[in-house]
Amino acid sequence: MSSTETPVHVLILAGGAGTRFWPASRAARPKQLLPLLGGEPLITATARRVLPLCARGGSAGWERLWIATGEHLVAPTRAALPDVSERRLLVEPAPRNTAPCIGWAAATIARDDPDAIVVVLPSDHHIADVPRFLEVLEAAVASAQSGAITTIGIRPTHPETGFGYIEAEEAADAASAAPRRVLRFVEKPSRDRAAEFVASGRFLWNAGMFIFRAGDMRAAIRAHLPALAEGLDEIDRAAALGAAAEAEAVLRVFPRLPAVSVDHGVMEHVAGLAVVPGDFGWSDLGSWQSAWELAEKDERGNSAPAGSVLVDAQGNYLVDLRGRDGGARAEIDRRVIALVGVEGLVVVETDDALLIVPRDRAQDVKHVVDALKARGQGRHT
């Protein structure tokens, strides 16, 4: 079968606790369900950008789109993706990290076609250059079809300490998008070490995107995570008896699967792992700082709703989400947000919470969620 005929299935990982974008994101409404950059929710944008890949060979596209999420997120996820079939929702009865849900998806798809290509993507990232992104994905699909479990590495633009890195074999043409052999994965480095990585030209950011033949991932799990393989086999045997038996097995087996990431459990141990370098305007949208960087701003670097008053203010990010949960619109319309003489702040207001934090401390918002839980105010998280 040629690469243009090989069916491509996309698995979107859509769990998440919703801590770094508090108070907009909550446990029942994590980041991927928010329209952080305006327009549609991030998960909807993620699905739409990969539909051309799913539609290869005459498919409608949506039938090859799979969503892995938690039970508490099923309703809002279906609302964000009404065209995704209920049969394509992999509902995890308990959070077990990425290896079990990716293995479950690979096993499910492999029942029909072990040579089908599976593309695993996060649900909550931003891609600026979608055509280029699809070109890189096509290169990764071709690599996976040759039998190499493949990942996509982002060419670093600065010495970032918040990402893991992938060291790749040097290529004759540093700008080439051809697959390279992965030498190792590296955890989040110090600032000095990250600078060395970027200067070397061999290191790429790990964006959590993985591409493989369904059968190859099953084999890799069997080799490196035998306990997970046994659990998936048990679900497979139940699936052969019908949908009801499969559903019962998932409820019984999934919560006892080993909780391990696919990076640590599989990718770090696979021989012949390949990486395709990518440069397509990627952001993991990891904090309010990231959202400010991508937002439209005025001449003084402020991003704020219409009607805000900004006096001698610079580099601020204002987000007004009041009324999104049924608040009184008339009352909201009479309120004004004003900033005077401040710089570099994030101000986020919802119907039940107000966040004010320096942009350079945006990563610490998750500690607010921890504090609220410790005080017994979990309803606000």
Side-chain angles (χ1 to χ4, degrees):
M1 181 178 287
S2 71
S3 61
T4 58
E5 295 172 329
T6 303
V8 176
H9 296 251
V10 173
L11 170 67
I12 297 176
L13 304 179
T19 56
R20 291 183 179 177
F21 278 89
W22 187 90
S25 61
R26 308 290 174 98
R29 188 184 59 199
K31 181 176 71 167
Q32 71 267 16
L33 296 172
L34 300 175
L36 286 177
L37 301 178
E40 59 192 5
L42 294 176
I43 190 172
T44 309
T46 299
R48 292 193 190 284
R49 75 171 66 105
V50 295
L51 278 180
L53 198 64
C54 297
R56 294 191 334 174
S59 167
W62 293 105
E63 275 302 303
R64 293 180 183 160
L65 195 67
W66 302 73
I67 311 296
T69 192
E71 290 181 323
H72 66 297
L73 296 176
V74 169
T77 298
R78 293 191 68 183
L81 296 169
D83 293 310
V84 173
S85 166
E86 186 173 359
R87 295 179 296 112
R88 297 297 185 252
L89 284 177
L90 299 178
V91 182
E92 303 168 23
R96 305 306 291 161
N97 216 316
T98 55
C101 70
I102 291 173
W104 182 21
T108 303
I109 294 167
R111 288 176 207 151
D112 293 328
D113 184 358
D115 289 326
I117 302 296
V118 181
V119 175
V120 178
L121 301 174
S123 60
D124 53 6
H125 292 180
H126 171 71
I127 305 294
D129 188 344
V130 174
R132 179 57 185 156
F133 174 62
L134 291 174
E135 289 177 7
V136 171
L137 278 182
E138 287 283 6
V141 166
S143 172
Q145 190 176 354
S146 72
I149 293 179
T150 303
T151 185
I152 291 174
I154 307 300
R155 287 194 175 92
T157 57
H158 59 278
E160 173 62 53
T161 61
F163 301 149
Y165 284 71
I166 300 167
E167 184 178 11
E169 192 172 53
E170 290 190 70
D173 179 1
S176 170
R180 304 182 193 178
R181 186 167 65 91
V182 171
L183 299 179
R184 59 172 172 150
F185 286 82
V186 183
E187 295 292 339
K188 298 174 182 177
S190 66
R191 175 69 60 180
D192 289 345
R193 199 169 183 218
E196 292 174 5
F197 289 172
V198 174
S200 76
R202 298 191 312 275
F203 287 82
L204 305 162
W205 288 335
N206 182 2
M209 304 179 192
F210 305 104
I211 304 90
F212 47 81
R213 289 188 305 205
D216 291 339
M217 177 54 69
R218 291 227 60 186
I221 288 174
R222 198 171 302 283
H224 304 293
L225 291 173
L228 174 56
E230 289 175 10
L232 295 176
D233 286 344
E234 191 172 343
I235 294 173
D236 265 356
R237 289 192 295 270
L241 302 176
E246 179 183 7
E248 186 279 329
V250 169
L251 290 174
R252 174 170 44 83
V253 174
F254 200 91
R256 59 178 170 82
L257 295 177
V260 60
S261 73
V262 75
D263 302 66
H264 293 311
V266 178
M267 299 300 172
E268 293 179 2
H269 309 288
V270 169
L273 188 70
V275 60
V276 176
D279 185 2
F280 36 74
W282 172 85
S283 170
D284 75 332
L285 280 173
S287 68
W288 287 114
Q289 167 69 17
S290 302
W292 171 81
E293 291 170 356
L294 294 169
E296 292 186 9
K297 308 175 197 58
D298 64 19
E299 65 280 0
R300 301 200 66 180
N302 297 299
S303 176
S308 302
V309 177
L310 303 169
V311 178
D312 192 25
Q314 183 170 326
N316 300 292
Y317 188 41
L318 278 64
V319 182
D320 184 359
L321 297 173
R322 293 168 296 155
R324 296 294 178 91
D325 297 318
R329 190 74 252 172
E331 175 64 22
I332 289 168
D333 286 343
R334 289 198 294 268
R335 297 180 62 181
V336 172
I337 300 177
L339 296 183
V340 180
V342 294
E343 179 177 347
L345 292 183
V346 172
V347 180
V348 183
E349 188 168 15
T350 68
D351 289 336
D352 67 345
L354 171 66
L355 169 71
I356 302 173
V357 62
R359 278 197 356 255
D360 61 7
R361 294 285 304 277
Q363 291 282 358
D364 294 333
V365 170
K366 59 187 177 182
H367 299 312
V368 176
V369 176
D370 295 337
L372 288 170
K373 289 179 178 177
R375 287 165 43 178
Q377 292 179 282
R379 69 185 185 281
H380 291 300
T381 65

